[in-house]
Amino acid sequence: MSLTLLLLQLTVILAVARACGLLLRAFGQPMVIGEMAAGILLGPIVFGALFPQWHAQLFPAASLPALSSLAMVGVVLFMFIVGAELRAPAGMGAQLRAAGWVGLSSMALPMVLGLAIAPMLHHALAPAGVAFWPFALFIGVALSITAFPVLARILKDRGMTHTRVGQLALSAAGVVDAFAWVLLALVVALASAGGGWSAFVRIACGLAALVAVVFLAVRPLLAWALRRYAPDGTPTPMLLAGLMIGLFACAMVTEWLHLHAVFGAFLFGISLPRDNRLLHALVERLEPLSVIVLMPIFFALAGLGTHPGAFANAGLGALGLILLVATVGKVVGGAAGARVCGYDWRESLSTGALMNSRGLMELIVIKVGLDAGLIGPELFTMLLVMALATTAATGPLLTLIERRRGAPVRGVAGR
């Protein structure tokens, strides 16, 4: 592929992503929703259908590996930041208990419902040769995801970051992230093993060894280096280079284990000391490159991986079922967890609506499933639409709940 074509692709992708993001933001949506939608616009469903010759010239098959490599670097950097941002739920006692209840109930119900519809989806949409249980478990995990970064942005935009509901939902999303990535790693390991338990055990043992090395050796080393060379929380260029070397090495190991590079990136992010000054420095230096430049390439590749015929015949019915199960599972599961912990109905339903936000995290999960061969382009397309629809519905659902109850959702200090 020529450099001219690559630069043209990047120009078009970034321009369309930014335009769609600004357009959706004008309607009260996070910019990331517009950027994800831009991927669909650039894919075969819209651009490819309207201008097939231009689409083929702009995105020839031979050019996609280069774009894929750039996109994966962006995803690795993004998942590193997500891991570094992950915090244990703030507070003790009732707050910690409530976050656990909401997180687990908002995972358990959509997962159970996903397993319930998996036989129908497996029969119609599973790739040839994919066994039922890896497929079914992946569907359960995919429906149970909550997007921690997008949720944080929604709370900030609505002024809910420091409210009781906002803090509960954000803490619960951290619980969901931690459990979901562990489950997804196990599902991908099972699929990569091809159903053979000996291969699965080898992958699981390799992952366990990596976790041990990262937390028993790398984490103390990082803590010492940061105390010694970054006492103010701002890493020097040399220390930042060391962090990037560790990040890419960790991602490389999980890719070599036939898992996915995102698991290594997430793991390395978790291993960093919980220092807000360090997190701020990393976000300031890495997030613009990852989120503004590289992640739109990932969205575009996701759009190129969609299938124009996904909604033909029974496809719309399957999409409707997925949307119903995903929404009911998250909203009801999250609300039930909050209600058990003593929150009133308005707060509980608002929490459930917030947990239904999937966004970018869902897109990364389903891309992992597509790369691992667990799902095909048709189901990938449906799950991508589900991610967009459920995340876009979060704001309107919150507004509807507030109006029906006659008052906005506020924080209750000291309660």
Side-chain angles (χ1 to χ4, degrees):
M1 181 182 71
S2 69
L3 179 60
T4 302
L5 178 58
L6 175 61
L7 294 175
L8 176 61
Q9 290 172 334
L10 294 178
T11 301
V12 172
I13 290 170
L14 293 178
V16 174
R18 190 57 32 173
C20 289
L22 291 172
L23 178 63
L24 267 290
R25 190 172 69 176
F27 290 93
Q29 294 291 345
M31 281 194 67
V32 68
I33 301 300
E35 292 170 357
M36 290 170 64
I40 296 179
L41 292 179
L42 290 171
I45 294 178
V46 180
F47 183 35
L50 296 176
F51 307 102
Q53 290 185 334
W54 289 3
H55 186 269
Q57 291 175 356
L58 182 59
F59 297 111
S63 71
L64 299 186
L67 284 176
S68 180
S69 297
L70 285 173
M72 193 48 57
V73 171
V75 173
V76 164
L77 290 173
F78 178 80
M79 289 304 299
F80 168 62
I81 295 296
V82 170
E85 286 179 332
L86 193 61
R87 297 287 192 273
M92 299 298 290
Q95 287 181 317
L96 182 60
R97 174 174 170 266
W101 268 105
V102 172
L104 294 178
S105 62
S106 70
M107 277 194 71
L109 184 56
M111 186 166 288
V112 169
L113 294 175
L115 292 176
I117 66 171
M120 293 176 283
L121 298 179
H122 183 265
H123 175 73
L125 297 168
V130 174
F132 172 74
W133 278 111
F135 175 86
L137 290 171
F138 176 80
I139 294 299
V141 173
L143 295 184
S144 65
I145 286 290
T146 294
F148 183 89
V150 174
L151 177 58
R153 180 59 184 270
I154 291 172
L155 292 172
K156 182 178 179 180
D157 289 347
R158 297 181 70 91
M160 294 176 62
T161 302
H162 300 293
T163 65
R164 221 163 71 109
V165 169
Q167 291 177 343
L168 173 64
L170 203 57
S171 297
V175 173
V176 171
D177 269 2
F179 276 93
W181 287 106
V182 171
L183 288 174
L184 184 60
L186 293 175
V187 172
V188 173
L190 184 62
S192 299
W197 283 108
S198 60
F200 174 76
V201 170
R202 284 197 301 271
I203 294 172
C205 288
L207 183 59
L210 176 62
V211 171
V213 169
V214 166
F215 281 93
L216 297 181
V218 175
R219 185 172 188 174
L221 180 61
L222 289 175
W224 172 82
L226 289 166
R227 285 195 307 269
R228 177 70 174 80
Y229 298 107
D232 62 348
T234 302
T236 63
M238 184 65 72
L239 187 54
L240 183 62
L243 290 176
M244 293 300 97
I245 291 169
L247 165 63
F248 292 127
C250 206
M252 179 271 294
V253 171
T254 53
E255 186 75 22
W256 176 73
L257 286 171
H258 299 290
L259 292 171
H260 199 285
V262 298
F263 297 112
F266 184 66
L267 178 64
F268 191 77
I270 292 175
S271 74
L272 292 184
R274 303 295 91 178
D275 186 330
N276 288 332
R277 298 172 305 170
L278 172 64
L279 175 61
H280 175 75
L282 291 174
V283 167
E284 188 176 54
R285 295 186 183 192
L286 300 179
E287 202 170 64
L289 173 65
S290 171
V291 174
I292 297 175
V293 178
L294 297 177
M295 290 308 297
I297 305 173
F298 178 73
F299 300 144
L301 282 173
L304 292 172
T306 56
H307 195 282
F311 309 123
N313 301 324
L316 280 177
L319 174 62
L321 181 63
I322 290 170
L323 278 170
L324 177 65
V325 166
T327 302
V328 170
K330 272 296 183 182
V331 174
V332 174
R339 192 78 181 113
V340 165
C341 295
Y343 287 74
D344 63 34
W345 276 111
R346 177 171 56 85
E347 293 174 317
S348 299
L349 289 171
S350 296
T351 302
L354 287 166
M355 298 304 291
N356 195 39
S357 172
R358 290 176 173 85
L360 176 55
M361 299 299 288
E362 178 73 17
L363 185 52
I364 294 174
V365 167
I366 61 176
K367 188 64 167 64
V368 169
L370 183 66
D371 292 343
L374 286 165
I375 58 174
E378 295 90 349
L379 187 53
F380 175 82
T381 305
M382 295 177 191
L383 291 173
L384 174 56
V385 172
M386 180 272 291
L388 283 168
T390 54
T391 308
T394 300
L397 270 177
L398 285 172
T399 301
L400 179 63
I401 292 167
E402 292 168 6
R403 288 177 178 173
R404 291 294 296 270
R405 301 299 297 180
V409 177
R410 301 186 185 91
V412 184
R415 181 178 170 187

